[in-house]
Amino acid sequence: DPEKNPLGNGKNLFINEGNITINGGIGVDLYAPDKIKGENRFENNGTLTVNSGTGVKLGSINGSVINNKDIIVKGGVGVSLLKNGVSFTNNNNLTVSNGTGIQFDKTGTVGAIFVNSGNVIATNGIAVNNIGSGNATTYLKNGSSIIGTIQGSTTEKTPGVDILALEGGDKSYKDLDVKNYNAITVRGGEAKIEDSKIELYYNNKTEKYLTSTKNELNKVDGKKELGNLTVSNSSLTVDMNGDTNKLIDAGKLTFDKNISLKFQGSEKDVYNVNEIFGIDKIESNGANFEKTVIWSYDNKDGNLIARKKDYFEILNKSQLKDFTDAFQNTTIINKVDQNIDAKI
């Protein structure tokens, strides 16, 4: 029992070179009480298969898990991060056919970090999930891939802050499905998000955690300057119920190709999108914004302005005209049918 016989101070390294299969319970449990400041690490150089239960439970301050080969999740949880300041680095393959690949819980205000330099593929289930009210950061490096849902905290009263960090250097990240996250930060150079769906939510704790997690990320791969972000062929949904002004942490934001912007909780008629995202400059010359009944977009000197159309503009939109025509035709047909029935 790890809680009765916890890991001590010093450095404890556990390495798997073969095959580990978990059919319930916990495969590798790295536990130590908070007073223990040792560094506990598990490295997987073989194959870790989780049929049910938890593959690796990381509940030790300064604890870390590194996957250099294969983690296969067929049920349960692959890696569970359960403590302030812990980290999981995926350098190769993590696949999920059912269950959850990486799970954050009880990570507190310091938060925990998942670093992906490999591939995470969740054909069913969830790739990354923050089930608690603590803070968490998902850091994508080297143009790495996560196929499947990246789910932020959804606790009702005090949701945690979830940050998506991207390594720059002309790196592109495709097919992301990010829900309930609070900010995106770019570390050095140019980063691009393509063919993705991103949901960002206001949280008044975002900026404080963003500052602290960037300091922690400096320990991962050194200090990096703030990079630039391009969003291409993607949708961005912003829930503005709350208080924050830093959703995009980048030197410049560029929208390219087909872009869908959706603002929830919007009450004004005119918005400066720069202010919504908390960024000084937005470029959108190459963007084709999704046409909507309500909103139109103009870029003036690096400021993207979203404006609600007035009643007459909306009334003349083809979508409403087509709907009206279809409604009238249906009404006429129904009346004709009723008259026929009456005559019969």
Side-chain angles (χ1 to χ4, degrees), residues 122-162:
T123 54
N124 193 23
I126 299 176
V128 183
N129 195 10
N130 184 356
I131 66 170
S133 58
N135 299 334
T137 296
T138 297
Y139 182 24
L140 305 186
K141 292 171 59 67
N142 305 322
S144 58
S145 173
I146 295 184
I147 304 299
T149 302
I150 303 171
Q151 176 71 55
S153 172
T154 58
T155 54
E156 290 186 9
K157 293 184 179 180
T158 56
V161 177
D162 293 277

Coordinates of all heavy atoms in Angstrom, one line a residue, residues 122-162:
A122 N -7.2 9.3 -29.7 CA -8.4 8.8 -28.9 C -9.5 8.6 -29.9 O -10.2 9.5 -30.3 CB -8.8 9.7 -27.8
T123 N -9.6 7.3 -30.4 CA -10.7 7.0 -31.4 C -12.0 7.0 -30.7 O -13.1 7.2 -31.3 CB -10.4 5.7 -32.1 OG1 -10.2 4.7 -31.1 CG2 -9.1 5.8 -33.0
N124 N -12.0 6.7 -29.4 CA -13.2 6.7 -28.6 C -12.8 7.1 -27.2 O -11.6 6.8 -26.8 CB -13.9 5.3 -28.6 CG -15.3 5.4 -28.0 OD1 -15.9 6.4 -28.0 ND2 -15.8 4.3 -27.5
G125 N -13.6 7.8 -26.4 CA -13.2 8.3 -25.1 C -12.6 9.7 -25.2 O -12.9 10.4 -26.2
I126 N -11.8 10.1 -24.3 CA -11.3 11.4 -24.2 C -9.7 11.4 -24.2 O -9.1 10.6 -23.5 CB -11.8 12.1 -22.9 CG1 -13.3 12.2 -23.0 CG2 -11.2 13.5 -22.8 CD1 -13.9 12.8 -21.7
A127 N -9.1 12.2 -24.9 CA -7.6 12.3 -25.0 C -7.1 12.9 -23.7 O -6.2 12.3 -23.0 CB -7.2 13.1 -26.2
V128 N -7.5 14.1 -23.3 CA -7.1 14.8 -22.1 C -8.3 15.4 -21.4 O -9.1 16.0 -22.0 CB -6.1 16.0 -22.5 CG1 -5.6 16.6 -21.3 CG2 -5.0 15.5 -23.4
N129 N -8.3 15.2 -20.1 CA -9.5 15.6 -19.3 C -9.1 16.2 -18.0 O -8.3 15.5 -17.2 CB -10.5 14.5 -19.1 CG -11.8 14.9 -18.7 OD1 -12.1 16.1 -18.7 ND2 -12.7 14.0 -18.3
N130 N -9.6 17.4 -17.6 CA -9.4 17.9 -16.3 C -10.7 17.8 -15.6 O -11.7 18.5 -15.8 CB -9.0 19.4 -16.4 CG -8.7 20.0 -15.0 OD1 -8.9 19.4 -14.0 ND2 -8.3 21.3 -15.0
I131 N -10.8 16.8 -14.7 CA -12.1 16.5 -14.0 C -12.2 17.2 -12.7 O -13.3 17.2 -12.0 CB -12.2 15.0 -13.8 CG1 -11.2 14.5 -12.8 CG2 -12.1 14.2 -15.1 CD1 -11.4 13.0 -12.3
G132 N -11.2 18.0 -12.3 CA -11.2 18.6 -11.0 C -11.3 20.1 -11.1 O -11.7 20.7 -12.2
S133 N -11.0 20.9 -10.0 CA -11.1 22.3 -10.0 C -9.7 22.9 -9.9 O -9.6 24.1 -9.7 CB -12.0 22.8 -8.8 OG -11.4 22.3 -7.6
G134 N -8.7 22.1 -10.2 CA -7.3 22.6 -10.2 C -6.9 23.1 -11.5 O -7.7 23.0 -12.5
N135 N -5.7 23.7 -11.6 CA -5.2 24.2 -12.9 C -4.4 23.2 -13.7 O -3.8 22.3 -13.1 CB -4.4 25.5 -12.6 CG -5.1 26.6 -11.9 OD1 -6.4 26.6 -12.1 ND2 -4.4 27.4 -11.2
A136 N -4.4 23.3 -15.0 CA -3.7 22.4 -15.8 C -3.2 23.0 -17.1 O -3.9 23.9 -17.7 CB -4.6 21.2 -16.1
T137 N -2.1 22.5 -17.6 CA -1.5 23.0 -18.9 C -1.2 21.8 -19.8 O -0.6 20.8 -19.4 CB -0.2 23.8 -18.7 OG1 -0.5 25.0 -17.9 CG2 0.4 24.2 -20.0
T138 N -1.7 21.9 -21.1 CA -1.4 21.0 -22.1 C -0.4 21.7 -23.1 O -0.8 22.7 -23.7 CB -2.6 20.5 -22.9 OG1 -3.5 19.8 -21.9 CG2 -2.3 19.6 -24.0
Y139 N 0.8 21.2 -23.2 CA 1.9 21.8 -24.0 C 2.2 20.9 -25.2 O 2.7 19.8 -25.0 CB 3.1 22.0 -23.1 CG 4.3 22.7 -23.8 CD1 4.1 23.5 -24.9 CD2 5.6 22.5 -23.3 CE1 5.2 24.2 -25.5 CE2 6.7 23.2 -23.9 CZ 6.5 24.0 -25.0 OH 7.5 24.6 -25.6
L140 N 1.9 21.4 -26.4 CA 2.2 20.7 -27.6 C 3.5 21.2 -28.2 O 3.7 22.4 -28.5 CB 1.0 20.9 -28.6 CG -0.4 20.5 -28.1 CD1 -1.4 20.6 -29.3 CD2 -0.4 19.1 -27.5
K141 N 4.4 20.2 -28.5 CA 5.7 20.5 -29.1 C 5.9 19.8 -30.4 O 5.2 18.8 -30.7 CB 6.8 20.1 -28.1 CG 6.9 20.9 -26.8 CD 7.8 20.3 -25.8 CE 9.3 20.1 -26.4 NZ 9.9 21.5 -26.5
N142 N 6.8 20.4 -31.2 CA 7.2 19.7 -32.5 C 6.1 19.4 -33.5 O 6.2 18.5 -34.2 CB 8.0 18.4 -32.2 CG 9.1 18.6 -31.2 OD1 9.8 19.6 -31.3 ND2 9.3 17.7 -30.3
G143 N 5.0 20.2 -33.5 CA 3.9 19.9 -34.3 C 3.2 18.6 -34.0 O 2.6 18.0 -34.9
S144 N 3.3 18.2 -32.7 CA 2.7 16.9 -32.3 C 1.2 16.9 -32.4 O 0.6 17.9 -32.6 CB 3.2 16.6 -30.9 OG 2.7 17.7 -30.0
S145 N 0.7 15.7 -32.4 CA -0.7 15.5 -32.7 C -1.5 15.0 -31.5 O -1.0 14.1 -30.8 CB -0.8 14.5 -33.9 OG -2.2 14.1 -34.1
I146 N -2.7 15.6 -31.3 CA -3.7 15.0 -30.4 C -5.0 14.9 -31.1 O -5.6 15.9 -31.5 CB -3.9 15.9 -29.1 CG1 -2.6 15.9 -28.3 CG2 -5.0 15.3 -28.3 CD1 -2.7 16.7 -27.0
I147 N -5.4 13.6 -31.4 CA -6.7 13.4 -32.1 C -7.6 12.9 -31.0 O -7.4 11.9 -30.3 CB -6.5 12.3 -33.1 CG1 -5.5 12.7 -34.2 CG2 -7.9 12.0 -33.8 CD1 -5.8 13.9 -34.9
G148 N -8.7 13.7 -30.8 CA -9.6 13.4 -29.7 C -9.8 14.6 -28.9 O -9.2 15.7 -29.0
T149 N -10.8 14.6 -28.0 CA -11.2 15.8 -27.2 C -10.1 16.1 -26.1 O -9.6 15.3 -25.4 CB -12.5 15.5 -26.5 OG1 -13.5 15.2 -27.5 CG2 -13.0 16.7 -25.7
I150 N -9.8 17.4 -26.1 CA -9.0 18.0 -25.0 C -9.9 18.8 -24.2 O -10.4 19.9 -24.5 CB -7.9 18.9 -25.6 CG1 -7.0 18.1 -26.6 CG2 -7.0 19.4 -24.5 CD1 -6.0 18.9 -27.3
Q151 N -10.3 18.3 -23.0 CA -11.4 18.8 -22.2 C -10.9 19.5 -21.0 O -10.2 19.0 -20.1 CB -12.3 17.7 -21.8 CG -13.5 18.1 -20.8 CD -14.5 18.9 -21.5 OE1 -15.1 18.5 -22.5 NE2 -14.8 20.1 -21.0
G152 N -11.3 20.8 -20.8 CA -10.9 21.6 -19.6 C -11.9 21.4 -18.5 O -12.9 20.6 -18.6
S153 N -11.6 22.0 -17.4 CA -12.4 21.9 -16.1 C -13.8 22.4 -16.4 O -14.0 23.5 -16.9 CB -11.7 22.6 -15.0 OG -12.5 22.7 -13.9
T154 N -14.8 21.7 -15.9 CA -16.2 22.1 -16.0 C -16.9 22.1 -14.6 O -18.1 22.2 -14.6 CB -16.9 21.2 -16.9 OG1 -16.9 19.8 -16.4 CG2 -16.4 21.2 -18.3
T155 N -16.1 22.1 -13.5 CA -16.7 22.2 -12.2 C -17.5 23.5 -12.1 O -17.0 24.6 -12.5 CB -15.7 22.1 -11.1 OG1 -14.7 23.1 -11.3 CG2 -15.1 20.7 -11.1
E156 N -18.7 23.5 -11.6 CA -19.6 24.7 -11.6 C -19.1 25.9 -10.8 O -19.1 27.0 -11.3 CB -21.0 24.2 -11.2 CG -21.7 23.3 -12.2 CD -23.1 23.0 -11.8 OE1 -23.6 23.7 -10.9 OE2 -23.7 22.1 -12.4
K157 N -18.8 25.7 -9.6 CA -18.5 26.8 -8.7 C -17.2 27.4 -8.9 O -17.0 28.7 -9.1 CB -18.7 26.4 -7.2 CG -20.1 26.1 -6.8 CD -20.3 25.7 -5.4 CE -21.7 25.4 -5.0 NZ -21.8 25.1 -3.5
T158 N -16.1 26.6 -8.9 CA -14.8 27.2 -9.0 C -14.0 26.3 -10.0 O -13.1 25.5 -9.7 CB -14.0 27.1 -7.7 OG1 -14.0 25.8 -7.2 CG2 -14.7 28.1 -6.7
P159 N -14.3 26.5 -11.3 CA -13.5 25.7 -12.3 C -12.1 26.1 -12.4 O -11.7 27.3 -12.1 CB -14.2 26.1 -13.7 CG -14.8 27.4 -13.4 CD -15.2 27.4 -12.0
G160 N -11.2 25.1 -12.6 CA -9.8 25.4 -12.7 C -9.5 26.2 -14.0 O -10.4 26.3 -14.9
V161 N -8.2 26.6 -14.2 CA -7.8 27.3 -15.4 C -7.0 26.3 -16.2 O -6.2 25.5 -15.7 CB -6.9 28.5 -15.0 CG1 -6.3 29.1 -16.3 CG2 -7.6 29.5 -14.2
D162 N -7.4 26.2 -17.5 CA -6.8 25.3 -18.4 C -6.1 26.1 -19.6 O -6.7 26.9 -20.2 CB -7.8 24.3 -19.0 CG -8.3 23.4 -18.0 OD1 -7.7 22.4 -17.7 OD2 -9.4 23.7 -17.4

